[in-house]
Amino acid sequence: MKQLPWTLLMLALALLVWLSLAVVNAENQRYAMMTKACADPVFKGEVDAKCMATIQSRPHWWNHLTYAMSHVRP
C-alpha cells in the first residue's frame, strides 16, 4: 500500500513536467510570432515553419514559463 502514493506522486510530477514543457514551447512560438522573428522572406505575411521549430525567442526557458504563468489573459 505504500507504493501507491509514491507512484501517484511520480505520475503527477511527470505530468507537471510534460505540461510545463508544452507551455514553454507554446510561449516560445507565440512570442516569436508576436515579434515577427520567423517571417518568411519569400512569401510576405507568412511564417517560416523551419525557423519556428528552432527559434529561441527569449534567453532561457524559465523566461517563457514565468511569463506564461503570470499572464493568463491574452
Side-chain angles (χ1 to χ4, degrees), residues 1-2 6 13 18 20 22 29 31 33 46 50 55-56 60-61 66 73-74:
M1 288 305 267
K2 292 181 181 181
W6 287 107
L13 287 176
W18 181 71
S20 296
Q29 290 184 2
Y31 190 68
M33 288 178 70
E46 295 294 321
K50 212 180 259 189
I55 187 82
Q56 285 298 325
H60 298 286
W61 62 268
T66 56
R73 292 191 179 152

Side-chain angles (χ1 to χ4, degrees), residues 38-62:
C38 287
D40 196 344
V42 178
F43 300 105
K44 301 299 178 197
E46 295 294 321
V47 176
D48 186 10
K50 212 180 259 189
C51 174
M52 287 299 284
T54 60
I55 187 82
Q56 285 298 325
S57 56
R58 288 193 177 112
H60 298 286
W61 62 268
W62 49 267

Side-chain angles (χ1 to χ4, degrees), residues 20-39:
S20 296
L21 289 172
V23 166
V24 166
N25 187 31
E27 176 59 27
N28 183 30
Q29 290 184 2
R30 185 203 67 82
Y31 190 68
M33 288 178 70
M34 189 180 79
T35 58
K36 296 183 173 131
C38 287

